[in-house]
């Protein structure tokens, strides 16, 4: 099967085309350090022979967090992140290991500072000044350089799911400073941060990619064409993908929706199963854009878990038809971290049963994982 064949992202080879998408475990300790539980989760993924593993959302600041036990990438936590990478690489040195870096913006929890960059939001959110945004940009740059320092193979810049990065890109971002209004201003963050990082990285093979929501399904959100429009128009998202390519980025990780607001669009459930088709359409669109400009940038798709046993065939078909380069699994990487290895070895797999148990744990701010196949999380949800 094509999906089990090697590929590449940037200058790195991937052993197959299966991606473990970022999944927050909410189990950091002592101010955002990976705990034993965090390290154990990634060790299990290391045994799974994924082409790429993207470590869950890691905050670049300690002031705004979505999860009470969220990971934070700073100097203080460096040794612990290094341990995570070292242990992973000791088990499996072939899987490409990326860190997702984020600022939680409006999606920060009540226990931290909720901030917004779009004008006209409720007073619950502190409005970020031009300088605040510059400072956040520097925090991203620092964190990305720390990711390089601890040995990650690259990063996934989170510009999806309603977090700071997504808010920046929205037509609803009508700020009248350099960060808002025109398309050029709303993408300024991206076009400033990438060259600056590139000039500072020592590892020339370090992967730079970003996860974007093609359509957020809110008025003025990503994937609409004006601040007061709600229907989908992918034109701007296409332009963002072109921009990413022209900046020399290595991949776009295609997602959609805003968890907690338009959750089913991000992660279809049994009652909304067919929404996975939107994700297929979005990667196909991204591929068409990149083909047109002869770009080498790769496309990663999302939301395959709902397809259970059929997922691998759909992934294979989409790759064969050139509708995506990689297939990404979120919940499935929780239910069975060994999924790719088991598929290749023809072993019985713990398919995600799409019960939303992991999401419920996350919303309750508890350690998050699969409540069906892992007794620790099963007990947490029931008790
Ligand atoms: C519990 C949970 C945690 C998640 N954490 C992240 C995250 O840290 N970063 C991210 O970009 N997406 C996150 N997601 C979204 C997933 O990566 C994925 O896009 C979504 O679950 C749909 O894919 P699936 O159908 O394969 O699960 C999370 C989803 C769930 C359910």
């Amino acid at each position: 099967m094509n999906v089990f064949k090697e590929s590449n992202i940037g200058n790195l080879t991937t052993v197959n085309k299966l991606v473990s998408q970022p999944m927050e475990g909410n189990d950091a300790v002592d101010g955002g350090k990976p705990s034993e539980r965090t390290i154990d989760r990634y060790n299990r993924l290391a045994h799974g022979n994924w082409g790429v593993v993207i470590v869950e959302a890691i905050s670049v600041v300690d002031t705004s967090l979505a999860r009470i036990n969220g990971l934070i990438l700073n100097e203080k936590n460096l040794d612990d992140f290094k341990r995570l990478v070292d242990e992973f690489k000791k088990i499996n040195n072939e899987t490409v290991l990326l860190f997702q870096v984020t600022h939680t913006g409006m999606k920060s929890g009540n226990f931290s500072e909720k901030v917004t960059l779009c004008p006209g939001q409720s007073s619950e959110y502190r409005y970020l000044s031009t300088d605040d945004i510059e400072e956040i940009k520097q925090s991203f740059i620092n964190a990305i350089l720390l990711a390089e320092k601890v040995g990650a193979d690259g990063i996934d810049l989170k510009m999806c799911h309603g977090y700071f990065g997504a808010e920046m890109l929205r037509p609803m971002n009508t700020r009248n400073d350099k960060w808002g209004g025109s398309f050029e201003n709303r993408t300024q963050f991206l076009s400033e941060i990438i060259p600056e990082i590139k000039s500072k990285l020592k590892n020339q093979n370090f992967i730079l990619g970003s996860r974007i929501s093609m359509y957020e399904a809110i008025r003025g959100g990503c994937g609409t064409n004006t601040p007061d429009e709600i229907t989908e128009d992918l034109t701007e998202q296409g332009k963002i993908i072109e921009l990413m390519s022209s900046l020399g980025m290595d991949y776009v990780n295609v997602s959609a929706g805003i968890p907690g607001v338009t959750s089913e669009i991000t992660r279809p459930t049994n009652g909304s199963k067919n929404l996975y088709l939107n994700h297929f359409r979005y990667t196909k669109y991204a591929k068409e854009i990149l083909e047109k400009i002869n770009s080498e940038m790769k496309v990663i798709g999302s939301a395959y878990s709902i397809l259970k046993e059929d997922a691998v065939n759909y992934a294979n078909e989409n790759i064969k038809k050139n509708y995506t380069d990689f297939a990404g699994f979120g919940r499935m990487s929780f239910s069975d971290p060994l999924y790719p290895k088991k598929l290749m070895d023809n072993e019985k797999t713990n398919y995600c049963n799409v019960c939303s148990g992991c999401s419920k744990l996350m919303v309750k701010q508890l350690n998050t994982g699969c409540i069906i196949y892992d007794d620790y999380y099963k007990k947490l949800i029931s008790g």
Side-chain angles (χ1 to χ4, degrees):
M1 264 188 171
N2 200 338
V3 75
F4 297 132
K5 294 203 176 124
E6 280 187 358
S7 183
N8 76 290
I9 290 193
N11 294 331
L12 300 187
T13 302
T14 66
V15 288
N16 57 48
K17 295 162 187 161
L18 298 169
V19 176
S20 167
Q21 290 283 18
M23 292 290 288
E24 284 171 290
N26 192 26
D27 52 17
V29 286
D30 191 17
K33 293 181 170 60
S35 63
E36 292 302 321
R37 175 166 294 282
T38 320
I39 290 174
D40 183 57
R41 279 193 293 118
Y42 286 98
N43 284 350
R44 281 195 275 158
L45 285 165
H47 284 290
N49 276 346
W50 296 84
V52 181
V53 166
I54 309 180
V55 175
E56 71 209 69
I58 309 173
S59 185
V60 301
V61 296
D62 58 10
T63 44
S64 293
L65 289 175
R67 309 292 156 231
I68 203 150
N69 301 312
L71 291 168
I72 305 169
L73 190 48
N74 55 24
E75 289 283 353
K76 193 169 68 65
N77 298 342
L78 217 53
D79 289 348
D80 306 84
F81 277 101
K82 182 156 179 3
R83 196 183 135 211
L84 185 151
V85 174
D86 287 349
E87 289 204 16
F88 188 101
K89 297 269 174 191
K90 209 163 130 198
I91 297 165
N92 177 345
N93 201 18
E94 290 194 311
T95 294
V96 172
L97 184 65
L98 309 177
F99 279 12
Q100 185 179 63
V101 286
T102 190
H103 184 292
T104 51
M106 290 183 87
K107 303 229 358 130
S108 308
N110 292 331
F111 49 85
S112 69
E113 194 188 29
K114 291 171 177 253
V115 295
T116 185
L117 57 87
C118 287
Q121 305 300 318
S122 109
S123 57
E124 179 189 358
Y125 305 99
R126 180 171 73 82
Y127 183 67
L128 293 166
S129 70
T130 311
D131 290 348
D132 288 333
I133 296 176
E134 183 62 39
E135 216 174 281
I136 291 173
K137 189 186 93 185
Q138 289 310 323
S139 303
F140 270 100
I141 293 171
N142 292 342
I144 293 167
L145 294 175
L146 293 180
E148 180 194 32
K149 203 164 168 183
V150 298
D153 295 313
I155 54 98
D156 184 280
L157 185 64
K158 188 163 187 175
M159 300 198 83
C160 62
H161 300 170
Y163 292 85
F164 169 86
E167 218 192 330
M168 186 66 90
L169 296 174
R170 287 176 184 157
M172 184 207 285
N173 167 11
T174 55
R175 296 176 68 93
N176 57 14
D177 63 3
K178 66 178 270 198
W179 304 115
S182 67
F183 176 79
E184 285 65 30
N185 284 1
R186 285 182 282 120
T187 51
Q188 178 95 353
F189 194 77
L190 202 53
S191 35
E192 281 191 17
I193 209 169
I194 299 299
E196 198 169 334
I197 292 162
K198 277 184 177 269
S199 73
K200 290 183 171 155
L201 285 169
K202 295 191 185 79
N203 173 4
Q204 292 311 306
N205 295 329
F206 195 79
I207 304 294
L208 296 174
S210 179
R211 195 169 203 200
I212 61 171
S213 285
M214 291 298 272
Y215 176 52
E216 293 186 299
I218 58 164
R219 198 169 295 283
C222 295
T224 65
N225 60 10
T226 54
D228 58 7
E229 184 56 70
I230 191 158
T231 59
E232 181 187 297
D233 181 333
L234 298 180
T235 315
E236 272 207 354
Q237 301 314 92
K239 281 168 65 186
I240 292 168
I241 292 169
E242 276 187 42
L243 173 68
M244 287 169 67
S245 171
S246 73
L247 291 167
M249 294 181 77
D250 301 297
Y251 74 87
V252 56
N253 188 356
V254 170
S255 188
I258 308 173
V261 180
T262 54
S263 313
E264 306 274 311
I265 291 185
T266 309
R267 40 173 197 262
T269 55
N270 289 322
S272 60
K273 176 179 173 179
N274 293 331
L275 293 178
Y276 75 86
L277 288 165
N278 284 336
H279 289 261
F280 288 6
R281 182 164 56 84
Y282 296 145
T283 56
K284 182 170 180 260
Y285 180 77
K287 283 293 291 175
E288 282 164 5
I289 298 275
L290 292 168
E291 298 261 294
K292 251 186 239 157
I293 56 168
N294 260 330
S295 171
E296 291 289 307
M297 196 168 95
K298 291 288 158 65
V299 174
I300 302 176
S302 299
Y304 281 83
S305 299
I306 188 84
L307 292 161
K308 302 180 187 179
E309 289 87 345
D310 296 329
V312 67
N313 294 324
Y314 278 102
N316 204 49
E317 180 182 348
N318 285 343
I319 290 165
K320 213 162 127 200
K321 289 181 171 166
N322 218 11
Y323 294 171
T324 191
D325 296 301
F326 291 87
F329 295 79
R331 291 163 292 181
M332 187 65 204
S333 73
F334 265 179
S335 68
D336 201 336
L338 304 181
Y339 174 54
K341 182 177 177 338
K342 286 187 176 173
L343 279 179
M344 283 183 264
D345 295 346
N346 262 323
E347 277 179 40
K348 189 175 166 291
T349 304
N350 294 336
Y351 285 102
C352 169
N353 82 350
V354 210
C355 65
S356 298
C358 55
S359 303
K360 283 181 194 143
L361 285 171
M362 190 169 67
V363 170
K364 287 182 169 184
Q365 293 289 350
L366 295 169
N367 291 170
T368 302
C370 180
I371 66 157
I372 303 295
Y373 300 107
D374 190 320
D375 285 343
Y376 173 77
Y377 299 106
K378 201 183 277 186
K379 278 189 198 129
L380 266 188
I381 198 87
S382 52

